[in-house]
Amino acid sequence: MAELEKRAHQADPTNRARLRWRARRGLLENDIILTRFLDAHETGLTDEEVDAFTRLLDLSDNALMDLVLARKEPEGEIDLPHVHALLARLRQA
């Protein structure tokens, strides 16, 4: 049951489609990185990882690119362990 709760977001096709739609960005580089990441890992993301991904999607394109390219590190509301962990995965993708 705990495993089902961890993956509750993934069980809802509407939520998955919404996440993929939000990953579409104006900056082509972000769009490519995020889309490829979702192509490879979408079905295995936990709700905590989806939360981290959503927090990153709330950023502007330039701020997101700076984080993905490790020009900057998360600050303020996004300076959370699960955001750092997801960024590490995005940087490897």
Side-chain angles (χ1 to χ4, degrees), residues 19 22 25 34 47-60 63-64 67 74-84 86-87 90:
L19 182 67
R22 287 197 61 215
R25 306 301 293 208
L34 298 177
D47 278 349
E48 188 172 73
E49 291 168 325
V50 169
D51 177 67
F53 198 81
T54 301
R55 288 173 186 268
L56 292 173
L57 293 177
D58 288 340
L59 299 172
S60 70
L64 178 58
L67 290 173
E75 298 175 344
E77 294 180 8
I78 62 167
D79 188 9
L80 301 166
H82 64 289
V83 173
H84 284 274
L86 186 71
L87 268 175
L90 277 169

Side-chain angles (χ1 to χ4, degrees), residues 1-91:
M1 178 93 165
E3 182 64 27
L4 181 60
E5 289 174 13
K6 279 183 163 180
R7 298 177 68 124
H9 178 88
Q10 298 301 348
D12 186 345
T14 303
N15 286 340
R16 289 178 58 190
R18 189 174 294 127
L19 182 67
R20 188 168 279 277
W21 179 256
R22 287 197 61 215
R24 296 180 55 155
R25 306 301 293 208
L27 189 62
L28 180 61
E29 292 84 352
N30 280 342
D31 193 41
I32 291 169
I33 291 167
L34 298 177
T35 300
R36 287 183 181 170
F37 178 81
L38 286 176
D39 288 346
H41 304 287
E42 179 182 14
T43 58
L45 294 175
T46 65
D47 278 349
E48 188 172 73
E49 291 168 325
V50 169
D51 177 67
F53 198 81
T54 301
R55 288 173 186 268
L56 292 173
L57 293 177
D58 288 340
L59 299 172
S60 70
D61 280 335
N62 291 332
L64 178 58
M65 180 57 65
D66 285 343
L67 290 173
V68 170
L69 295 178
R71 293 180 190 154
K72 294 185 179 178
E73 291 300 319
E75 298 175 344
E77 294 180 8
I78 62 167
D79 188 9
L80 301 166
H82 64 289
V83 173
H84 284 274
L86 186 71
L87 268 175
R89 290 182 67 192
L90 277 169
R91 289 171 179 166

